[in-house]
Amino acid sequence: MENTTKKRFDNASKKYLTDRYIWRYKSAQLVSKLVKPNESDVILDIGCGTGKQIIDLSDYIKLGIGIDISNGMIEQAIENAKNENKNNVNFYLGTFSKPDKETDLSLAGVTKIISNYALHHLNLEEKKKAIDKMIHVGGESLRMIVIGDLMFSDNPENYKNEFNTIGYGPGIDTPSTVDEMKECFVNLPYDIEIHKLHPLVGVLVATKK
């Protein structure tokens, strides 16, 4: 799965538009609001793409770190940050299973983790492992995880005519239901809130108890 996803986004990196899908854009906007950025925050963005979201947040935080599976996306993110003169954001290759592939995130003092429209590339068991990994790399300093994504609160078959605007590709993507997303945090010391944007799109906020 990771090799297929990497190739897909390497190919798309030069013409990738973060705001191409309206619901992905709305989800990103809500994630950035709900993460409540402040000047002491070190925010890790997993699946950062070309870096737009973490670059925008960098104006309000101490440090931003973006990781992505795609070399092309990371190269574009670094270029975008340079073009906008952002000196407090760094980008590295990494995956949900190996977010610390190129840098020791445990030393970064990550306070919050965000991920927008990326987890739907994983099946449910992979999502659970990814969230466990987030908590591990965040360590004691981690206070919040905010995930925006395809997150079904209704039968997707009822919204077939909206798949293109939502950014859902049946057979390629493997979104989970809202209840399944909550299940990923069972027995973890986090309070969970769900913010529904659309019957197929939502934002999960996990706040450390």
Side-chain angles (χ1 to χ4, degrees):
M1 185 284 299
E2 285 187 354
N3 287 336
T4 301
T5 303
K6 181 180 185 301
K7 184 176 180 180
R8 176 180 168 191
F9 285 103
D10 276 341
N11 291 337
S13 60
K14 292 299 180 183
K15 55 183 178 180
Y16 187 78
L17 298 176
T18 303
D19 302 339
R20 178 182 175 188
Y21 300 111
I22 184 63
W23 291 103
R24 179 169 61 194
Y25 171 75
K26 290 182 177 182
S27 176
Q29 293 295 101
L30 186 55
V31 167
S32 292
K33 178 182 177 181
L34 293 174
V35 79
K36 299 177 182 177
N38 66 70
E39 60 185 12
S40 64
D41 274 332
V42 176
I43 297 183
L44 171 64
D45 183 358
I46 303 181
C48 67
T50 58
K52 176 175 171 51
Q53 188 165 11
I54 195 65
I55 288 171
D56 288 347
L57 283 170
S58 69
D59 287 336
Y60 310 101
I61 63 178
K62 179 180 178 181
L63 177 66
I65 303 170
I67 65 169
D68 200 272
I69 192 172
S70 163
N71 299 70
M73 291 292 184
I74 292 299
E75 289 171 3
Q76 190 63 50
I78 291 171
E79 182 177 337
N80 290 344
K82 182 179 179 181
N83 289 341
E84 296 191 35
N85 295 314
K86 304 297 185 181
N87 300 314
N88 65 329
V89 59
N90 299 317
F91 295 98
Y92 305 97
L93 280 174
T95 65
F96 281 110
S97 60
K98 294 181 180 179
D100 47 4
K101 180 178 180 179
E102 284 195 336
T103 185
D104 191 345
L105 294 170
S106 66
L107 301 178
V110 173
T111 58
K112 297 169 182 176
I113 295 175
I114 63 172
S115 184
N116 189 62
Y117 259 68
L119 271 177
H120 66 268
H121 298 299
L122 309 182
N123 63 39
L124 183 57
E125 287 306 309
E126 290 168 335
K127 288 185 181 78
K128 291 178 180 178
K129 291 177 181 178
I131 288 166
D132 285 343
K133 192 68 176 180
M134 290 181 200
I135 293 170
H136 174 73
V137 299
E140 289 298 317
S141 59
L142 184 63
R143 294 290 173 263
M144 181 185 293
I145 299 171
V146 185
I147 298 168
D149 212 333
L150 298 168
M151 200 175 297
F152 297 166
S153 57
D154 197 359
N155 186 344
E157 294 299 306
N158 297 331
Y159 305 91
K160 280 186 173 182
N161 63 330
E162 297 183 59
F163 284 179
N164 284 337
T165 58
I166 291 168
Y168 171 41
I172 300 174
D173 302 323
T174 53
S176 295
T177 66
V178 168
D179 286 341
E180 287 171 337
M181 290 301 300
K182 290 180 179 178
E183 182 186 329
C184 292
F185 288 86
V186 169
N187 299 323
L188 295 175
Y190 285 81
D191 291 321
I192 305 301
E193 296 177 3
I194 300 291
H195 298 257
K196 178 180 171 182
L197 282 168
H198 179 280
L200 305 187
V201 183
V203 176
L204 180 151
V205 180
T207 307
K208 196 169 186 178
K209 295 180 180 179

